[in-house]
Amino acid sequence: MKDNIRYQFKNIIDVTGVPSKAEPDDDYEINPFSDMGAWHAYHLPRIDDKDYYGGFTGPLYIAQEYGVWLSKCFNRIAIYNACNGEEFKLVDCKNADLAYYPGLLVQEYDMEDFILRLELRFVTNRTAIVTTKIKSQIKEKLNLKLNWDGELLKYCNDYENEILDLRLEVSTNGVKVKFPNINWPYNAFTSSEMEYEVRYPFEVKTNVSGDRYLIETDTISIKAGREYVLNTTNTYTFTKDEKDKENEKIIDIFKNTTKYIEDNNSRWEEYLSKGLKGVNEEYEKLIVKSIETLITNWRSPAGAIKRHGITPSMSYKWFNGMWAWDSWKQAVAIVSFAPELAKDNIRAIFDYQKEDGMIIDAIFYNKNGYNYPGEKGGNWNERNSKPPLATWAVWKVYESTNDKLFLEEMYPKLVKYHDWWYVYRDNDKNGIAEYGACIDALNDDVDQIILAAAWESGMDNAVRFDKDYGVEVLENIDDNGKIIGYSINQESVDLNSYLYAEKKYLAKIAKELDKSDDIDKYEKEAQYVREFIRKNMFDEETGFFYDIDIHTKNPLVERGKGVEGFIPLWAEALSEEQAKKLKDISIDEMKFNTKVPFPTASVDNPRYAPNKYWRGPVWLDQAYFAIEGLSNYGYKDEAYTLAKKILENTEGSMVEGEVIRENYNPESGQGLNCTNFSWSAGMMYLLCREYFV
């Protein structure tokens, strides 16, 4: 690849638009651009948003857990002829070019007398710089007056009957936004220490009037054919300590701006060169789209989140936290181009591993008051865990990085988590686990426990958890007669296939770390689980795998086929004969070979619903596991064909400007639910790199 790879990929995702209100819809109306784990993002004006030419629209800031737009366009430049006071109106330009390149927003306006170029890039996890370049196109000196203005958006919360009363404050070198103390558990959290600031490298004149401000500078003179360059910083911080530290960085940014820009360039060159290496040209744009999606969803340490990691989506109200099994899948995807971020994404979840080994479901900026009295968060969840894919993720990171210290760090934590399943989720102590729920204030009745168990599977409303199928709650009791958790009355095929795979990966890690006793232990346990899955969870008549009744050990065939039945194929727990039967089912158009393959419930499942979350739509992690399983058993052609259908039939995936979605209608390919979804991006990235090189 050539240098400056980023300039080969323009507007792969459409980030244009102007916010119309402070509070976004649940699915945000405009795609954001962010980088480096920042908690704020920007957009470009659309080509017909001429009133906002000269400014990057927004910003969107995360009010600890929820996105809010600060402004329609907070810092817009206006340029005047210093001799006669007339404005050079950008709407009158000969040409306007508005571009999103990987890691960089650019606006360029070709005026009669000069070319204006604006570039926005992130240089720390709290600060973006805007580089303003004005290049003269006339033969005489160009004398200009530069102004910037902006206006805050009002946020009125009707439910709380309050206004998020932001306040503009003059600073010597720019303007600040100060925040009030607001505690809206399901809309916004702000504190008086939070601050957004635009700073110039010299003193400016700032005038504030209510929610509006105007910044003026001294006249500048540009010689014929020369260029004027100005860098300004745009910083969003949560605490005084953060801002104090960032102030030191901003001093260095102004002093060594070129280095920060070069660092941004080289970091993105590395992402792209590694991600694109060897990939077929027709899939290069999808690789870039996947990387852009994952990096925009990267958040850095803040509040209770102690490390860098990737959230499901910055574009959806409820997804500004980190989930356990999302993190495992994302780490496997990004390790090839951002290995340290991959490691930290795993560590971020293990930072809250319980003493008993449990990994909690989701972490956010704020802990919740149910588990941590005095805390205020509404999204932090300890009611349940998530499917055990952590050891797979750690092993994949090791395969890519050869970082044995990371293995040594994670191994005891992985062992504790693996053991936890057999203490807290093995009701009949037969070495085969069930999904369930924890002792938690929110798990206060049977319906809530079943809900938590479904969440623990990751398949929130899957057909197999429908209560009218006979799903019941069982109490798990320790040796002292104490209730320590709950299981539902079915031993799940996906859970035990994941645990089988974990045992194999734990044995591999033990071998790398010279733990011979552990190697033997996990290999023997794996053999037991493999034989159990083969013997008890496979239905000969239908040729497929199912959850089984915990008491009778009979497959729950009446609940229909679900994509979870392919997880034993991924885990390589099957006989060759069983694998062939799953292969045949995978290519059957009346079962799983839909336009977008691998619906979560098969087409012949009586409760199949192609638009209902985990009851039909295609989730790309499950599709990826099924395809990997086919490949593992030698069905390379089938794996290739199904992977190609996924990449080419999912709406917008191969189209410039469109986004990657949370899931897809299996019949039409229509994108469903959340936009810019991280694990979908990660799975598309892996499919491109593993099948189209």
Side-chain angles (χ1 to χ4, degrees):
M1 304 296 290
K2 296 180 259 182
D3 288 340
N4 293 319
I5 303 171
R6 68 175 11 150
Y7 292 111
Q8 300 172 38
F9 298 97
K10 180 180 179 181
N11 296 329
I12 300 300
I13 296 174
D14 180 2
V15 297
T16 64
V18 178
S20 61
K21 60 187 188 304
E23 182 185 17
D25 295 340
D26 280 8
D27 289 297
Y28 297 175
E29 303 92 305
I30 312 170
N31 299 314
F33 159 66
S34 189
D35 190 9
M36 294 192 76
W39 289 71
H40 61 302
Y42 298 90
H43 321 280
L44 290 165
R46 292 178 293 262
I47 201 70
D48 58 350
D49 290 327
K50 300 191 178 196
D51 289 345
Y52 301 95
Y53 279 9
F56 295 97
T57 47
L60 176 79
Y61 67 94
I62 305 301
Q64 299 184 13
E65 299 186 15
Y66 305 101
V68 181
W69 275 303
L70 186 73
S71 172
K72 291 185 175 183
C73 184
F74 188 68
N75 190 232
R76 185 183 67 89
I77 192 172
I79 303 174
Y80 297 85
N81 186 317
C83 299
N84 60 24
E86 291 185 3
E87 183 179 359
F88 293 96
K89 294 186 177 180
L90 299 182
V91 296
D92 297 329
C93 66
K94 292 188 290 184
N95 182 60
D97 186 22
L98 308 172
Y100 169 32
Y101 300 103
L104 177 67
L105 298 182
V106 177
Q107 301 180 41
E108 190 164 287
Y109 304 92
D110 188 353
M111 310 296 290
E112 194 70 36
D113 291 354
F114 59 86
I115 293 175
L116 170 67
R117 182 179 173 91
L118 304 172
E119 301 174 349
L120 185 149
R121 52 173 63 80
F122 285 85
V123 292
T124 78
N125 60 18
R126 296 293 181 268
T127 296
I129 59 172
V130 173
T131 302
T132 301
K133 299 179 179 180
I134 304 172
K135 185 173 184 179
S136 173
Q137 297 195 109
I138 60 176
K139 295 181 179 180
E140 61 268 14
K141 186 184 292 185
L142 187 61
N143 295 309
L144 302 175
K145 185 81 171 174
L146 309 181
N147 290 353
W148 289 263
D149 66 0
E151 181 178 5
L152 298 171
L153 279 168
K154 285 283 189 187
Y155 185 178
C156 302
N157 186 334
D158 294 334
Y159 181 78
E160 299 285 348
N161 196 27
E162 284 187 86
I163 294 174
L164 184 56
D165 192 15
L166 305 178
R167 177 171 52 86
L168 291 170
E169 184 177 282
V170 174
S171 66
T172 305
N173 291 62
V175 65
K176 296 180 179 181
V177 180
K178 307 296 285 185
F179 292 77
N181 291 310
I182 285 289
N183 183 6
W184 299 342
Y186 300 105
N187 291 95
F189 298 107
T190 63
S191 80
S192 58
E193 290 192 22
M194 288 169 57
E195 187 175 282
Y196 184 88
E197 180 187 21
V198 177
R199 190 182 301 185
Y200 293 73
F202 45 71
E203 288 190 17
V204 295
K205 181 181 178 183
T206 303
N207 295 292
V208 169
S209 177
D211 291 333
R212 303 173 66 96
Y213 78 89
L214 175 69
I215 288 175
E216 301 174 282
T217 62
D218 294 335
T219 298
I220 63 169
S221 294
I222 308 173
K223 293 180 180 179
R226 302 295 291 272
E227 185 175 65
Y228 171 81
V229 179
L230 170 67
N231 291 289
T232 55
T233 57
N234 297 255
T235 302
Y236 175 53
T237 51
F238 290 110
T239 66
K240 182 180 182 302
D241 181 61
E242 275 189 7
K243 188 57 186 292
D244 288 344
K245 292 175 180 176
E246 200 66 20
N247 283 337
E248 295 300 315
K249 295 178 185 177
I250 292 170
I251 292 170
D252 192 56
I253 290 167
F254 283 134
K255 184 178 178 181
N256 298 293
T257 309
T258 300
K259 177 185 179 300
Y260 283 87
I261 291 174
E262 289 175 350
D263 287 348
N264 175 283
N265 293 343
S266 61
R267 179 168 55 86
W268 274 95
E269 286 292 303
E270 184 174 3
Y271 290 164
L272 297 172
S273 61
K274 288 183 174 180
L276 292 165
K277 185 177 180 180
V279 173
N280 292 356
E281 186 175 353
E282 65 181 304
Y283 295 103
E284 286 184 346
K285 290 178 181 178
L286 181 52
I287 284 280
V288 173
K289 183 180 293 189
S290 298
I291 293 172
E292 288 179 334
T293 301
L294 289 157
I295 295 300
T296 280
N297 292 336
W298 168 12
R299 301 281 79 77
S300 57
I305 295 174
K306 299 176 182 179
R307 302 180 196 255
H308 295 265
I310 294 175
T311 63
S313 177
M314 198 183 198
S315 304
Y316 183 63
K317 176 175 181 176
W318 306 103
F319 280 173
N320 288 300
M322 297 175 192
W323 271 259
W325 83 321
D326 300 55
S327 296
W328 318 144
K329 290 173 275 193
Q330 290 152 190
V332 171
I334 66 174
V335 68
S336 66
F337 66 87
E340 294 309 312
L341 179 55
K343 294 173 196 174
D344 261 5
N345 203 164
I346 294 170
R347 291 180 177 120
I349 301 300
F350 274 90
D351 282 338
Y352 288 96
Q353 184 173 28
K354 298 292 188 179
E355 278 298 313
D356 60 17
M358 179 197 175
I359 292 296
I360 65 175
D361 183 8
I363 63 174
F364 277 75
Y365 185 101
N366 298 294
K367 298 176 182 178
N368 69 38
Y370 296 102
N371 301 106
Y372 302 90
E375 295 286 345
K376 59 185 180 181
N379 296 296
W380 184 283
N381 184 30
E382 300 189 5
R383 297 174 60 178
N384 50 274
S385 190
K386 270 293 191 281
L389 285 163
T391 307
W392 166 68
V394 168
W395 180 256
K396 290 297 183 181
V397 167
Y398 175 68
E399 279 189 325
S400 181
T401 64
N402 201 33
D403 184 351
K404 189 166 284 191
L405 289 176
F406 182 63
L407 275 192
E408 292 174 351
E409 171 193 348
M410 296 306 303
Y411 182 69
K413 300 176 183 181
L414 296 170
V415 168
K416 281 184 70 175
Y417 182 37
H418 188 77
D419 291 347
W420 175 85
W421 287 95
Y422 296 101
V423 175
Y424 292 86
R425 294 291 188 274
D426 183 6
N427 184 267
D428 60 0
K429 301 304 177 187
N430 68 336
I432 300 297
E434 310 88 35
Y435 289 121
C438 300
I439 303 297
D440 188 280
L442 294 175
N443 293 332
D444 56 359
D445 61 32
V446 167
D447 288 344
Q448 289 300 315
I449 292 169
I450 293 173
L451 176 64
W455 286 354
E456 188 161 273
S457 79
M459 299 184 173
D460 303 1
N461 68 333
V463 170
R464 59 186 165 138
F465 302 121
D466 286 357
K467 191 177 177 183
D468 65 348
Y469 271 136
V471 178
E472 297 176 354
V473 172
L474 307 175
E475 294 177 345
N476 294 326
I477 299 172
D478 68 11
D479 293 339
N480 298 315
K482 179 183 177 182
I483 300 173
I484 57 173
Y486 306 96
S487 288
I488 54 173
N489 61 331
Q490 61 203 67
E491 294 171 331
S492 288
V493 63
D494 53 338
L495 172 58
N496 288 285
S497 298
Y498 292 137
L499 288 167
Y500 166 69
E502 278 225 322
K503 293 179 191 298
K504 293 196 300 177
Y505 286 119
L506 285 169
K508 287 184 177 184
I509 296 173
K511 185 175 181 180
E512 291 295 309
L513 301 180
D514 297 320
K515 296 180 180 293
S516 56
D517 290 345
D518 288 2
I519 298 170
D520 184 58
K521 166 182 160 61
Y522 289 119
E523 287 181 346
K524 286 181 178 178
E525 289 180 2
Q527 183 177 357
Y528 166 75
V529 175
R530 182 189 66 203
E531 294 307 313
F532 187 96
I533 291 170
R534 290 182 180 184
K535 179 181 177 181
N536 296 284
M537 295 182 165
F538 185 72
D539 176 65
E540 291 289 347
E541 183 176 346
T542 59
F544 202 65
F545 284 86
Y546 303 85
D547 289 4
I548 62 173
D549 182 279
I550 193 172
H551 303 299
T552 66
K553 307 303 180 191
N554 292 327
L556 298 169
V557 178
E558 69 278 6
R559 301 185 192 185
K561 299 179 191 70
V563 73
E564 66 276 0
F566 287 102
I567 301 302
L569 191 69
W570 168 78
E572 298 181 77
L574 313 187
S575 67
E576 294 294 333
E577 182 183 354
Q578 289 172 331
K580 183 181 183 303
K581 290 186 177 181
L582 261 66
K583 182 268 295 183
D584 291 341
I585 286 175
S586 76
I587 59 175
D588 186 333
E589 294 182 357
M590 296 309 296
K591 294 182 174 65
F592 288 98
N593 190 11
T594 42
K595 180 177 181 178
V596 180
F598 299 109
T600 40
S602 65
V603 175
D604 62 354
N605 187 310
R607 297 187 181 184
Y608 164 74
N611 287 323
K612 289 189 177 179
Y613 220 49
W614 286 95
R615 303 173 76 84
V618 176
W619 290 75
L620 297 188
D621 61 329
Q622 300 300 301
Y624 171 78
F625 290 144
I627 289 167
E628 283 287 278
L630 290 169
S631 181
N632 290 341
Y633 277 89
Y635 298 112
K636 305 291 185 183
D637 291 343
E638 290 83 354
Y640 172 86
T641 299
L642 293 165
K644 190 175 180 68
K645 287 182 72 173
I646 286 171
L647 298 183
E648 297 188 358
N649 291 343
T650 45
E651 180 186 32
S653 299
M654 304 286 284
V655 179
E656 288 184 31
E658 297 296 321
V659 299
I660 294 170
R661 300 296 292 266
E662 186 174 4
N663 41 60
Y664 294 87
N665 181 300
E667 298 171 11
S668 68
Q670 177 190 3
L672 302 172
N673 298 301
C674 168
T675 56
N676 302 297
F677 192 66
S678 289
W679 96 39
S680 294
M683 297 304 105
M684 286 189 175
Y685 177 87
L686 290 173
L687 288 172
C688 287
R689 289 191 54 79
E690 293 174 12
Y691 294 94
F692 301 99
V693 293

